[in-house]
Amino acid sequence: MKILTVVGARPNFMKAAPIIAAINKHNEKIAVSSTDRREGPTEMIQHILVHTGQHYDDLMSGSFFSDLRLPEPDVHLDVGSASHAVQTAEIMKRFEQVLLREKPDVVVVVGDVNSTIACALVTAKISFDSAGSRPLIAHVEAGLRSFDRSMPEEINRLLTDHVSDLHFVTEESGLQNLRNEGVSPDRIHFVGNTMIDSLLAFKEKAETSTILEELGLRAQTGKNGAGNSITRYALLTLHRPSNVDNRDAFLNILEGLEDLVTDCPTVFPVHPRTQRRIDEFGLELHLGTHGMRTKDNGRHSGNLHHGIILTAPLGYLDFLCLMKHATLVVTDSGGIQEETTCLGIPCVTVRENTERPVTVVNGTNTIAGTKPETIRDAIRRQRGRKSNDGVPKKWDGQSATRIIAALIRAHHERALSQQSLTR
């Protein structure tokens, strides 16, 4: 059995890493144990990792491979940045050649980025022979819906789901959304969240990060670091075009943060897209009124009592360490809504909607909108929120194991079906 997994952007890496680890665990188990045919197919899995290069530099890609112990990609498409149309088309052109050469049994796509829809579309239309055979398409993180089609990610989610053969769902809203859209129940698998698999696997290792010391947020008060004291701080991420590509929208969000950054330091790892807009809109001075812009790879040492601390994009372990110890997280990221829910950290989402309602209903997230007054109010309420120890169903670190088991069953059933047709 040959499985090909596609990654392209930062969120994909955290979602794919546990799947690759589960494949390795499956192969190791087969290699050391006797085969029992009564338990179903027990063949080894050959895995191919394809990186489209949608995110391509060390800060946005390379450091994540190291932190998550991901293997080097078997194939790198080196697509790089471009418009949605150009980037998607270029991925499709290059990925088609990989598919025709490798002829996998299953193509796994994760999340909702351009790489996801591009590779799903190519796989749906590919034909390996005169019978029209093609790989099964498995979508990890299927069924999420914001019901806002102005979001490029929403279009990617919808189209990917409707060309996929197997839908791996992270939360119960996804089950209902897919059923409402007419997807057959036997193609839907509620497996949990592979991003949370990664978080649980690396949560303790994140404590080895020195990011808190580098940013002056942790002071050693005893010998050998005993009694370390962590300064109360908030964490901010912004990257969505609707928030950062319009100067007034960006300024509205910053205005909504004024009370927070006056009261405590707010760490802001800046996405390259956001950095370009900060430069283009001349927002350095505005940000500088709240704190200091940092240099030297975006890191700063010193004692800070308030203000925005700008940093370059951070690796997975550094960011996880910051998120674990933050008093509050303000974000427009979908994945961070899930991670803060798992960690029990209050989260304020500066968007008008979310495709991850479980983070609001059962988690620590609230939707603030993008107006200054609603952001201020949401931050005020979240800062007074009591800790939430609840974790959504099946967010238990075993999602990838369930996915691999389902893929093996689906491949086995398909092989039996094809055999019966040839008799």
mmCIF file of all heavy atoms in Angstrom, residues 318-355:
data_model
loop_
_atom_site.group_PDB
_atom_site.id
_atom_site.type_symbol
_atom_site.label_atom_id
_atom_site.label_comp_id
_atom_site.label_asym_id
_atom_site.label_seq_id
_atom_site.Cartn_x
_atom_site.Cartn_y
_atom_site.Cartn_z
ATOM 1 N N ASP A 318 8.917 26.981 19.984
ATOM 2 C CA ASP A 318 8.934 28.311 20.587
ATOM 3 C C ASP A 318 7.523 28.872 20.725
ATOM 4 O O ASP A 318 7.144 29.426 21.764
ATOM 5 C CB ASP A 318 9.780 29.273 19.750
ATOM 6 C CG ASP A 318 11.273 29.054 19.921
ATOM 7 O OD1 ASP A 318 11.663 28.393 20.903
ATOM 8 O OD2 ASP A 318 12.043 29.542 19.078
ATOM 9 N N PHE A 319 6.726 28.717 19.649
ATOM 10 C CA PHE A 319 5.368 29.273 19.693
ATOM 11 C C PHE A 319 4.503 28.507 20.689
ATOM 12 O O PHE A 319 3.711 29.113 21.428
ATOM 13 C CB PHE A 319 4.730 29.243 18.299
ATOM 14 C CG PHE A 319 3.428 29.988 18.246
ATOM 15 C CD1 PHE A 319 3.416 31.359 18.087
ATOM 16 C CD2 PHE A 319 2.214 29.327 18.402
ATOM 17 C CE1 PHE A 319 2.215 32.073 18.070
ATOM 18 C CE2 PHE A 319 1.019 30.016 18.397
ATOM 19 C CZ PHE A 319 1.023 31.394 18.223
ATOM 20 N N LEU A 320 4.654 27.189 20.735
ATOM 21 C CA LEU A 320 3.879 26.393 21.684
ATOM 22 C C LEU A 320 4.225 26.778 23.115
ATOM 23 O O LEU A 320 3.334 26.885 23.974
ATOM 24 C CB LEU A 320 4.132 24.904 21.449
ATOM 25 C CG LEU A 320 3.427 23.905 22.371
ATOM 26 C CD1 LEU A 320 1.925 24.162 22.431
ATOM 27 C CD2 LEU A 320 3.701 22.476 21.906
ATOM 28 N N CYS A 321 5.487 27.018 23.386
ATOM 29 C CA CYS A 321 5.899 27.465 24.718
ATOM 30 C C CYS A 321 5.226 28.789 25.072
ATOM 31 O O CYS A 321 4.687 28.953 26.177
ATOM 32 C CB CYS A 321 7.419 27.600 24.771
ATOM 33 S SG CYS A 321 8.053 28.150 26.375
ATOM 34 N N LEU A 322 5.237 29.737 24.142
ATOM 35 C CA LEU A 322 4.586 31.026 24.392
ATOM 36 C C LEU A 322 3.088 30.861 24.625
ATOM 37 O O LEU A 322 2.506 31.494 25.511
ATOM 38 C CB LEU A 322 4.815 31.963 23.208
ATOM 39 C CG LEU A 322 6.147 32.697 23.147
ATOM 40 C CD1 LEU A 322 6.268 33.454 21.831
ATOM 41 C CD2 LEU A 322 6.287 33.675 24.323
ATOM 42 N N MET A 323 2.466 30.018 23.829
ATOM 43 C CA MET A 323 1.025 29.824 23.948
ATOM 44 C C MET A 323 0.660 29.180 25.287
ATOM 45 O O MET A 323 -0.324 29.560 25.931
ATOM 46 C CB MET A 323 0.540 28.971 22.772
ATOM 47 C CG MET A 323 -0.947 28.898 22.620
ATOM 48 S SD MET A 323 -1.470 28.356 20.964
ATOM 49 C CE MET A 323 -0.391 26.958 20.668
ATOM 50 N N LYS A 324 1.455 28.196 25.722
ATOM 51 C CA LYS A 324 1.189 27.492 26.983
ATOM 52 C C LYS A 324 1.162 28.430 28.180
ATOM 53 O O LYS A 324 0.390 28.237 29.120
ATOM 54 C CB LYS A 324 2.286 26.450 27.234
ATOM 55 C CG LYS A 324 2.117 25.131 26.564
ATOM 56 C CD LYS A 324 3.232 24.182 26.973
ATOM 57 C CE LYS A 324 3.161 23.820 28.442
ATOM 58 N NZ LYS A 324 4.167 22.802 28.809
ATOM 59 N N HIS A 325 2.034 29.441 28.168
ATOM 60 C CA HIS A 325 2.213 30.294 29.348
ATOM 61 C C HIS A 325 1.520 31.650 29.230
ATOM 62 O O HIS A 325 1.609 32.461 30.157
ATOM 63 C CB HIS A 325 3.707 30.485 29.611
ATOM 64 C CG HIS A 325 4.410 29.214 29.983
ATOM 65 N ND1 HIS A 325 4.216 28.594 31.192
ATOM 66 C CD2 HIS A 325 5.289 28.436 29.296
ATOM 67 C CE1 HIS A 325 4.949 27.493 31.252
ATOM 68 N NE2 HIS A 325 5.608 27.366 30.114
ATOM 69 N N ALA A 326 0.841 31.898 28.108
ATOM 70 C CA ALA A 326 0.177 33.189 27.919
ATOM 71 C C ALA A 326 -1.042 33.313 28.825
ATOM 72 O O ALA A 326 -1.732 32.335 29.124
ATOM 73 C CB ALA A 326 -0.240 33.354 26.461
ATOM 74 N N THR A 327 -1.297 34.544 29.260
ATOM 75 C CA THR A 327 -2.520 34.839 30.004
ATOM 76 C C THR A 327 -3.719 34.841 29.078
ATOM 77 O O THR A 327 -4.823 34.437 29.448
ATOM 78 C CB THR A 327 -2.405 36.223 30.684
ATOM 79 O OG1 THR A 327 -1.283 36.213 31.567
ATOM 80 C CG2 THR A 327 -3.668 36.572 31.449
ATOM 81 N N LEU A 328 -3.493 35.277 27.845
ATOM 82 C CA LEU A 328 -4.556 35.440 26.849
ATOM 83 C C LEU A 328 -3.928 35.364 25.471
ATOM 84 O O LEU A 328 -2.801 35.816 25.270
ATOM 85 C CB LEU A 328 -5.250 36.795 27.039
ATOM 86 C CG LEU A 328 -6.339 37.174 26.047
ATOM 87 C CD1 LEU A 328 -7.639 36.430 26.387
ATOM 88 C CD2 LEU A 328 -6.594 38.682 26.067
ATOM 89 N N VAL A 329 -4.669 34.796 24.501
ATOM 90 C CA VAL A 329 -4.228 34.776 23.110
ATOM 91 C C VAL A 329 -5.274 35.497 22.267
ATOM 92 O O VAL A 329 -6.472 35.236 22.392
ATOM 93 C CB VAL A 329 -4.038 33.337 22.593
ATOM 94 C CG1 VAL A 329 -3.691 33.336 21.102
ATOM 95 C CG2 VAL A 329 -2.939 32.620 23.385
ATOM 96 N N VAL A 330 -4.809 36.427 21.422
ATOM 97 C CA VAL A 330 -5.671 37.109 20.458
ATOM 98 C C VAL A 330 -5.212 36.683 19.070
ATOM 99 O O VAL A 330 -4.022 36.773 18.751
ATOM 100 C CB VAL A 330 -5.587 38.642 20.590
ATOM 101 C CG1 VAL A 330 -6.501 39.313 19.570
ATOM 102 C CG2 VAL A 330 -5.958 39.074 22.011
ATOM 103 N N THR A 331 -6.142 36.203 18.232
ATOM 104 C CA THR A 331 -5.726 35.601 16.967
ATOM 105 C C THR A 331 -6.810 35.700 15.914
ATOM 106 O O THR A 331 -7.980 35.948 16.230
ATOM 107 C CB THR A 331 -5.358 34.114 17.196
ATOM 108 O OG1 THR A 331 -4.760 33.582 16.013
ATOM 109 C CG2 THR A 331 -6.591 33.288 17.547
ATOM 110 N N ASP A 332 -6.428 35.489 14.655
ATOM 111 C CA ASP A 332 -7.410 35.257 13.592
ATOM 112 C C ASP A 332 -7.164 33.892 12.943
ATOM 113 O O ASP A 332 -7.676 33.596 11.869
ATOM 114 C CB ASP A 332 -7.406 36.376 12.547
ATOM 115 C CG ASP A 332 -6.047 36.581 11.878
ATOM 116 O OD1 ASP A 332 -5.122 35.770 12.113
ATOM 117 O OD2 ASP A 332 -5.900 37.558 11.110
ATOM 118 N N SER A 333 -6.379 33.057 13.608
ATOM 119 C CA SER A 333 -6.026 31.729 13.113
ATOM 120 C C SER A 333 -7.035 30.686 13.570
ATOM 121 O O SER A 333 -7.465 30.683 14.726
ATOM 122 C CB SER A 333 -4.636 31.340 13.630
ATOM 123 O OG SER A 333 -4.423 29.947 13.562
ATOM 124 N N GLY A 334 -7.374 29.763 12.674
ATOM 125 C CA GLY A 334 -8.262 28.675 13.056
ATOM 126 C C GLY A 334 -7.585 27.674 13.966
ATOM 127 O O GLY A 334 -8.144 27.268 14.990
ATOM 128 N N GLY A 335 -6.371 27.273 13.614
ATOM 129 C CA GLY A 335 -5.662 26.276 14.399
ATOM 130 C C GLY A 335 -5.385 26.713 15.821
ATOM 131 O O GLY A 335 -5.457 25.902 16.762
ATOM 132 N N ILE A 336 -5.062 27.983 16.004
ATOM 133 C CA ILE A 336 -4.767 28.483 17.351
ATOM 134 C C ILE A 336 -6.018 28.473 18.228
ATOM 135 O O ILE A 336 -5.936 28.260 19.443
ATOM 136 C CB ILE A 336 -4.115 29.876 17.274
ATOM 137 C CG1 ILE A 336 -2.705 29.742 16.670
ATOM 138 C CG2 ILE A 336 -4.043 30.546 18.652
ATOM 139 C CD1 ILE A 336 -2.018 31.053 16.392
ATOM 140 N N GLN A 337 -7.192 28.646 17.628
ATOM 141 C CA GLN A 337 -8.429 28.505 18.401
ATOM 142 C C GLN A 337 -8.511 27.102 19.009
ATOM 143 O O GLN A 337 -8.928 26.922 20.159
ATOM 144 C CB GLN A 337 -9.641 28.733 17.495
ATOM 145 C CG GLN A 337 -9.755 30.130 16.912
ATOM 146 C CD GLN A 337 -10.860 30.217 15.875
ATOM 147 O OE1 GLN A 337 -11.978 29.769 16.110
ATOM 148 N NE2 GLN A 337 -10.561 30.772 14.718
ATOM 149 N N GLU A 338 -8.095 26.094 18.230
ATOM 150 C CA GLU A 338 -8.137 24.715 18.709
ATOM 151 C C GLU A 338 -7.060 24.447 19.756
ATOM 152 O O GLU A 338 -7.308 23.800 20.784
ATOM 153 C CB GLU A 338 -7.967 23.757 17.529
ATOM 154 C CG GLU A 338 -9.102 23.836 16.526
ATOM 155 C CD GLU A 338 -8.873 22.989 15.299
ATOM 156 O OE1 GLU A 338 -7.703 22.812 14.880
ATOM 157 O OE2 GLU A 338 -9.864 22.492 14.738
ATOM 158 N N GLU A 339 -5.863 24.938 19.502
ATOM 159 C CA GLU A 339 -4.755 24.684 20.424
ATOM 160 C C GLU A 339 -4.996 25.327 21.784
ATOM 161 O O GLU A 339 -4.727 24.721 22.825
ATOM 162 C CB GLU A 339 -3.449 25.182 19.807
ATOM 163 C CG GLU A 339 -3.002 24.343 18.615
ATOM 164 C CD GLU A 339 -1.845 24.966 17.863
ATOM 165 O OE1 GLU A 339 -1.840 26.204 17.684
ATOM 166 O OE2 GLU A 339 -0.941 24.220 17.442
ATOM 167 N N THR A 340 -5.505 26.562 21.793
ATOM 168 C CA THR A 340 -5.781 27.215 23.076
ATOM 169 C C THR A 340 -6.893 26.501 23.831
ATOM 170 O O THR A 340 -6.864 26.407 25.066
ATOM 171 C CB THR A 340 -6.152 28.692 22.878
ATOM 172 O OG1 THR A 340 -7.176 28.804 21.870
ATOM 173 C CG2 THR A 340 -4.955 29.523 22.467
ATOM 174 N N THR A 341 -7.870 25.972 23.120
ATOM 175 C CA THR A 341 -8.928 25.187 23.765
ATOM 176 C C THR A 341 -8.338 23.972 24.458
ATOM 177 O O THR A 341 -8.680 23.661 25.609
ATOM 178 C CB THR A 341 -9.990 24.771 22.730
ATOM 179 O OG1 THR A 341 -10.853 25.883 22.487
ATOM 180 C CG2 THR A 341 -10.841 23.608 23.224
ATOM 181 N N CYS A 342 -7.442 23.273 23.783
ATOM 182 C CA CYS A 342 -6.817 22.088 24.372
ATOM 183 C C CYS A 342 -5.958 22.458 25.586
ATOM 184 O O CYS A 342 -5.916 21.726 26.574
ATOM 185 C CB CYS A 342 -5.967 21.367 23.332
ATOM 186 S SG CYS A 342 -5.286 19.799 23.885
ATOM 187 N N LEU A 343 -5.281 23.611 25.512
ATOM 188 C CA LEU A 343 -4.399 24.048 26.601
ATOM 189 C C LEU A 343 -5.155 24.742 27.736
ATOM 190 O O LEU A 343 -4.581 24.981 28.806
ATOM 191 C CB LEU A 343 -3.340 24.999 26.053
ATOM 192 C CG LEU A 343 -2.296 24.384 25.116
ATOM 193 C CD1 LEU A 343 -1.482 25.492 24.437
ATOM 194 C CD2 LEU A 343 -1.375 23.432 25.860
ATOM 195 N N GLY A 344 -6.418 25.097 27.506
ATOM 196 C CA GLY A 344 -7.188 25.804 28.520
ATOM 197 C C GLY A 344 -6.838 27.272 28.635
ATOM 198 O O GLY A 344 -7.064 27.895 29.680
ATOM 199 N N ILE A 345 -6.304 27.859 27.554
ATOM 200 C CA ILE A 345 -5.908 29.276 27.544
ATOM 201 C C ILE A 345 -7.028 30.111 26.925
ATOM 202 O O ILE A 345 -7.485 29.799 25.807
ATOM 203 C CB ILE A 345 -4.603 29.472 26.742
ATOM 204 C CG1 ILE A 345 -3.481 28.582 27.289
ATOM 205 C CG2 ILE A 345 -4.192 30.939 26.745
ATOM 206 C CD1 ILE A 345 -3.079 28.881 28.704
ATOM 207 N N PRO A 346 -7.488 31.178 27.571
ATOM 208 C CA PRO A 346 -8.517 32.029 26.974
ATOM 209 C C PRO A 346 -8.067 32.590 25.629
ATOM 210 O O PRO A 346 -6.924 33.046 25.485
ATOM 211 C CB PRO A 346 -8.697 33.147 28.003
ATOM 212 C CG PRO A 346 -8.237 32.550 29.297
ATOM 213 C CD PRO A 346 -7.123 31.622 28.931
ATOM 214 N N CYS A 347 -8.961 32.548 24.648
ATOM 215 C CA CYS A 347 -8.645 32.988 23.290
ATOM 216 C C CYS A 347 -9.696 33.976 22.810
ATOM 217 O O CYS A 347 -10.898 33.773 23.022
ATOM 218 C CB CYS A 347 -8.593 31.772 22.364
ATOM 219 S SG CYS A 347 -8.231 32.146 20.626
ATOM 220 N N VAL A 348 -9.249 35.041 22.163
ATOM 221 C CA VAL A 348 -10.134 36.021 21.524
ATOM 222 C C VAL A 348 -9.859 35.978 20.031
ATOM 223 O O VAL A 348 -8.741 36.240 19.587
ATOM 224 C CB VAL A 348 -9.887 37.441 22.067
ATOM 225 C CG1 VAL A 348 -10.676 38.470 21.264
ATOM 226 C CG2 VAL A 348 -10.239 37.520 23.547
ATOM 227 N N THR A 349 -10.876 35.622 19.241
ATOM 228 C CA THR A 349 -10.716 35.511 17.790
ATOM 229 C C THR A 349 -11.253 36.765 17.124
ATOM 230 O O THR A 349 -12.445 37.078 17.244
ATOM 231 C CB THR A 349 -11.447 34.269 17.265
ATOM 232 O OG1 THR A 349 -10.843 33.103 17.845
ATOM 233 C CG2 THR A 349 -11.336 34.173 15.756
ATOM 234 N N VAL A 350 -10.362 37.494 16.440
ATOM 235 C CA VAL A 350 -10.750 38.738 15.793
ATOM 236 C C VAL A 350 -11.213 38.440 14.361
ATOM 237 O O VAL A 350 -10.551 38.735 13.374
ATOM 238 C CB VAL A 350 -9.609 39.781 15.831
ATOM 239 C CG1 VAL A 350 -9.508 40.398 17.198
ATOM 240 C CG2 VAL A 350 -8.263 39.179 15.441
ATOM 241 N N ARG A 351 -12.369 37.830 14.315
ATOM 242 C CA ARG A 351 -13.077 37.524 13.079
ATOM 243 C C ARG A 351 -14.567 37.632 13.366
ATOM 244 O O ARG A 351 -14.981 37.713 14.525
ATOM 245 C CB ARG A 351 -12.742 36.105 12.591
ATOM 246 C CG ARG A 351 -11.365 35.942 11.998
ATOM 247 C CD ARG A 351 -11.001 34.484 11.768
ATOM 248 N NE ARG A 351 -12.070 33.739 11.115
ATOM 249 C CZ ARG A 351 -12.057 32.418 10.938
ATOM 250 N NH1 ARG A 351 -11.033 31.706 11.405
ATOM 251 N NH2 ARG A 351 -13.049 31.816 10.328
ATOM 252 N N GLU A 352 -15.373 37.594 12.299
ATOM 253 C CA GLU A 352 -16.824 37.664 12.468
ATOM 254 C C GLU A 352 -17.443 36.278 12.602
ATOM 255 O O GLU A 352 -18.638 36.157 12.880
ATOM 256 C CB GLU A 352 -17.459 38.401 11.276
ATOM 257 C CG GLU A 352 -16.956 39.821 11.069
ATOM 258 C CD GLU A 352 -17.261 40.748 12.235
ATOM 259 O OE1 GLU A 352 -18.230 40.466 12.977
ATOM 260 O OE2 GLU A 352 -16.534 41.741 12.403
ATOM 261 N N ASN A 353 -16.649 35.226 12.387
ATOM 262 C CA ASN A 353 -17.189 33.874 12.416
ATOM 263 C C ASN A 353 -16.055 32.899 12.699
ATOM 264 O O ASN A 353 -14.882 33.281 12.728
ATOM 265 C CB ASN A 353 -17.852 33.536 11.071
ATOM 266 C CG ASN A 353 -16.918 33.837 9.897
ATOM 267 O OD1 ASN A 353 -15.794 33.342 9.829
ATOM 268 N ND2 ASN A 353 -17.388 34.653 8.954
ATOM 269 N N THR A 354 -16.416 31.640 12.872
ATOM 270 C CA THR A 354 -15.414 30.588 12.988
ATOM 271 C C THR A 354 -15.939 29.316 12.348
ATOM 272 O O THR A 354 -17.144 29.030 12.415
ATOM 273 C CB THR A 354 -15.014 30.304 14.444
ATOM 274 O OG1 THR A 354 -14.012 29.276 14.469
ATOM 275 C CG2 THR A 354 -16.204 29.849 15.286
ATOM 276 N N GLU A 355 -15.055 28.564 11.722
ATOM 277 C CA GLU A 355 -15.401 27.248 11.197
ATOM 278 C C GLU A 355 -15.178 26.162 12.244
ATOM 279 O O GLU A 355 -15.395 24.981 11.972
ATOM 280 C CB GLU A 355 -14.575 26.940 9.942
ATOM 281 C CG GLU A 355 -13.077 26.854 10.134
ATOM 282 C CD GLU A 355 -12.419 28.223 10.299
ATOM 283 O OE1 GLU A 355 -13.079 29.250 10.018
ATOM 284 O OE2 GLU A 355 -11.245 28.259 10.705
#
